[in-house]
Amino acid sequence: MALWGGRFSQAADQRFKHFNDSLRFDYRLAEQDIIGSIAWSKALVTVDVLSYDEQKKLEKALNQLLDSVRQDPQQILQSNAEDIHSWVEQKLIEKIGDLGKKLHTGRSRNDQSTTDLKLWCKIEIAHLISAIDQLRKRLVLTAEHYQDVVMPGYTHLQRAQPVTFAHWCLAYYEMLTRDESRLQDTLKRLNVSPLGCGALAGTAYPMDRDQLANWLGFSKATNNSLDSVSDRDHVLELLNNASIGMVHLSRFAEDLIIFNSGEADFVELSDRVTSGSSLMPQKKNPDALELIRGKVGRVVGALTGAMITFKGLPLAYNKDLQEDKEHLFDALDTWHECLDIATLVLEDIKINYQNCQDAAKQGYSNATELADYLVAKGIPFRQAHHIVGEAVVGAMAKHKALEELTLEELKIFSDVIEDDVYPILSLESCLAKRSAKGGVSPIQVKSAIENAKQQLSL
Ligand code: ARG
């Protein structure tokens, strides 16, 4: 029986019931619904709706139900109940009879469902932060391990200047650090309790909503009941956080797919995260990374979908809001899984030291060094830039790297060039000179690794 049967003389059409019911996805809120109900029963004592003894009985039965759903959450899916709130109430009444029917006094599923989802979000944020930390740790350890691996850095996917594999790892470490802080920010705003806002106008029982909020671990109660039952900003913020996080992971994946390509061959992925081709026996495909790259689509899709669902909704609660959950569950599950898989990919990645180094030497990625050398000899940078451009064309015509040109050949472009140019053109010098904060010099990278290790208590 639905919670609201009294006004109706006809049963719901089965197709409408299936369309309307949310149990098949909101069963994930079972624990939060029960915990919220226990707090609500305590609030009902303070306004003399329940006696102390009645509350104790309710609390005991609700705790038994909590244990049972913790052990077997799938049991909920056997039920025909409309949603998780109806399911919990039904089970309670089955257990303790008429007393269970008192629990919903002064409460609505409108404040209840948003409270449950907020409680769930708080737990999920903690899980996501720990998954992000695992990947941040893995990135830092990988950086530490590969500090000496020089490889080309790219702009426009053209070799630009040499960097190290460690510096590349730390770039993603920074992105993930911001992803984590975005979650912390979201948590601060969502940590206010809508419980006690009733259907839309507030509860008619004069309880202390701040106290109720504290019992549930929220910092305080919300200010406006109309807003509270229809606010889904936290859903949008989390979907936005997930989208940005997935954009980062997709870039990470794409970089590694390029590094793993036959053309680059900078890295080798482990058999544990690759798969073969049914036709071509030689293939080892980076499926894990491709899926991470691909799944950003559904997460950004969920954000767009939720934005459009909430847009233009009149105050206060409308059933459209039930559409918040599937988007959110799918997007956060996907983000979480991609974080775990990205960590797994890095766990036993192998770096092809020689190929990275050889590639870093190609592509005239030390051209900026030659320009800086000319600047040091008194030539204005713009002019130096032009001279080196000509030198690169000259070297290309000879199929040589800049450092392979003889002094005589180099002097054609500028007679200030002397023998001391050669050490300047080495990879070591290219790296070492970038010693200002954030640069790729081994000293800077080492200190960035140390800072990161400290932040992560590694
Ligand atoms: N299943 C609903 C949801 O997730 C619960 C609230 C239903 N409220 C109502 N007035 N029909 O939003």
Side-chain angles (χ1 to χ4, degrees), residues 131-162:
I132 291 176
D133 276 349
Q134 290 308 313
L135 182 52
R136 288 168 78 217
K137 281 182 186 157
R138 184 47 56 192
L139 282 163
V140 173
L141 293 175
T142 312
E144 191 172 36
H145 198 251
Y146 292 112
Q147 282 178 79
D148 300 336
V149 178
V150 187
M151 66 176 199
Y154 298 88
T155 61
H156 314 275
L157 210 50
Q158 308 278 315
R159 289 182 192 131
Q161 289 173 346

Side-chain angles (χ1 to χ4, degrees), residues 22 26 83 85 109-110 113 232 317 319 321-322 325:
S22 54
D26 68 14
D83 56 24
H85 325 295
R109 282 182 296 161
N110 299 352
S113 65
R232 294 294 184 276
Y317 180 85
K319 199 57 173 275
L321 290 169
Q322 180 169 285
K325 286 175 267 301

Side-chain angles (χ1 to χ4, degrees), residues 117-118 120-122 124-125 128 182-184 186-187 190 232-245 299 303 328 331-332 335:
L117 190 59
K118 278 187 159 189
W120 182 89
C121 288
K122 286 177 63 172
E124 191 53 29
I125 286 175
L128 284 164
R182 254 185 294 277
L183 283 171
Q184 311 272 20
T186 299
L187 180 61
L190 83 71
R232 294 294 184 276
D233 289 2
H234 45 288
V235 172
L236 293 177
E237 281 195 41
L238 280 172
L239 288 172
N240 181 61
N241 295 350
S243 298
I244 297 176
V299 175
L303 170 64
L328 188 67
L332 297 191
W335 187 17

Side-chain angles (χ1 to χ4, degrees), residues 270-397:
S270 134
D271 287 359
R272 298 201 300 154
V273 293
T274 45
S275 74
S277 153
S278 58
L279 176 69
M280 298 165 283
Q282 82 283 14
K283 291 288 285 285
K284 180 167 155 185
N285 298 325
D287 299 38
L289 294 168
E290 288 168 344
L291 281 170
I292 292 175
R293 186 178 58 185
K295 282 177 191 289
V296 69
R298 63 201 276 174
V299 175
V300 176
L303 170 64
T304 313
M307 285 273 193
I308 294 170
T309 295
F310 304 153
K311 174 202 166 290
L313 280 186
L315 284 180
Y317 180 85
N318 302 271
K319 199 57 173 275
D320 316 43
L321 290 169
Q322 180 169 285
E323 287 291 307
D324 57 0
K325 286 175 267 301
E326 283 170 291
H327 285 306
L328 188 67
F329 293 159
D330 185 67
L332 297 191
D333 288 349
T334 303
W335 187 17
H336 198 147
E337 196 178 13
C338 289
L339 285 162
D340 290 347
I341 297 292
T343 309
L344 187 64
V345 168
L346 272 189
E347 241 164 56
D348 41 16
I349 197 168
K350 289 212 172 57
I351 313 297
N352 212 329
Y353 181 93
Q354 198 55 48
N355 286 353
C356 290
Q357 169 116 348
D358 292 348
K361 281 189 181 155
Q362 291 160 13
Y364 302 94
S365 61
N366 53 0
T368 319
E369 304 327 293
L370 182 55
D372 285 340
Y373 171 87
L374 295 174
V375 168
K377 299 258 169 171
I379 298 177
F381 180 76
R382 192 48 57 216
Q383 201 180 329
H385 186 283
H386 190 80
I387 293 169
V388 178
E390 287 174 344
V392 167
V393 175
M396 281 167 82

Side-chain angles (χ1 to χ4, degrees), residues 181-215:
S181 84
R182 254 185 294 277
L183 283 171
Q184 311 272 20
D185 291 344
T186 299
L187 180 61
K188 274 181 232 150
R189 270 183 298 280
L190 83 71
N191 198 21
V192 284
S193 169
L195 197 57
C197 283
L200 75 164
T203 184
Y205 297 82
M207 60 185 57
D208 181 346
R209 286 191 53 231
D210 284 321
Q211 185 183 52
L212 175 57
N214 288 332
W215 286 337

Side-chain angles (χ1 to χ4, degrees), residues 66-78:
L66 187 59
D67 282 347
S68 154
V69 298
R70 278 186 176 147
Q71 272 168 29
D72 177 18
Q74 300 292 322
Q75 63 175 298
I76 304 169
L77 295 173
Q78 311 306 317

